Amino acid sequence: MVQYGPAEGDSEMVFGVCHILATWNDTFIHVTDLTGRETLCRVTGGMKVKSDREEPSPYAAMLAAMDVINKLKTLKIKALHIKLRGRGGTDSKQPGPGAQAALRVLARYEMKIGRIEDVTPIPTDCTRRKGGRRGRRL
């Protein structure tokens, strides 16, 4: 008999860490073990839709999250800690449109949610922001 995932009892909660990177161009959902070294599953919005403009959409993020849930069920992962990340740095600090949709799907379909943490990189002192001295002129 082939067994995937960790060996556990029926009442035991096995946690994974779900890293969600939501930019304005795509949404990445990457699930690792608690140490972060072993990748269990990785799906993007671009893997689920055909056109480039639909990659960051909430619909693509929902389809990617459904794929992640199906994979985690075979690996017997029942609970997730969420690390949500926007683009960050000198760019936009807000997560893209697919972040909330992916998080809602993970919470709705039998996944227990442990902690939700925002890990968007915030610069302490940084290089110049793009746009030049007079800013972006429309």
Side-chain angles (χ1 to χ4, degrees), residues 1-8 71-77:
M1 185 173 103
V2 176
Q3 179 180 346
Y4 298 106
E8 97 294 338
K71 177 70 174 173
L72 292 181
K73 281 184 181 175
T74 61
L75 295 174
K76 297 179 184 157
I77 304 291

Side-chain angles (χ1 to χ4, degrees), residues 41-89:
C41 180
R42 185 179 67 238
V43 184
T44 68
M47 293 164 64
K48 298 283 116 193
V49 292
K50 295 280 187 207
S51 70
D52 291 340
R53 66 189 173 92
E54 291 177 355
E55 288 178 10
S57 69
Y59 176 68
M62 284 172 56
L63 293 179
M66 288 298 294
D67 264 21
V68 167
I69 287 171
N70 292 335
K71 177 70 174 173
L72 292 181
K73 281 184 181 175
T74 61
L75 295 174
K76 297 179 184 157
I77 304 291
K78 298 176 183 169
L80 291 173
H81 294 304
I82 308 286
K83 291 192 175 185
L84 184 62
R85 180 175 182 263
R87 179 83 172 82

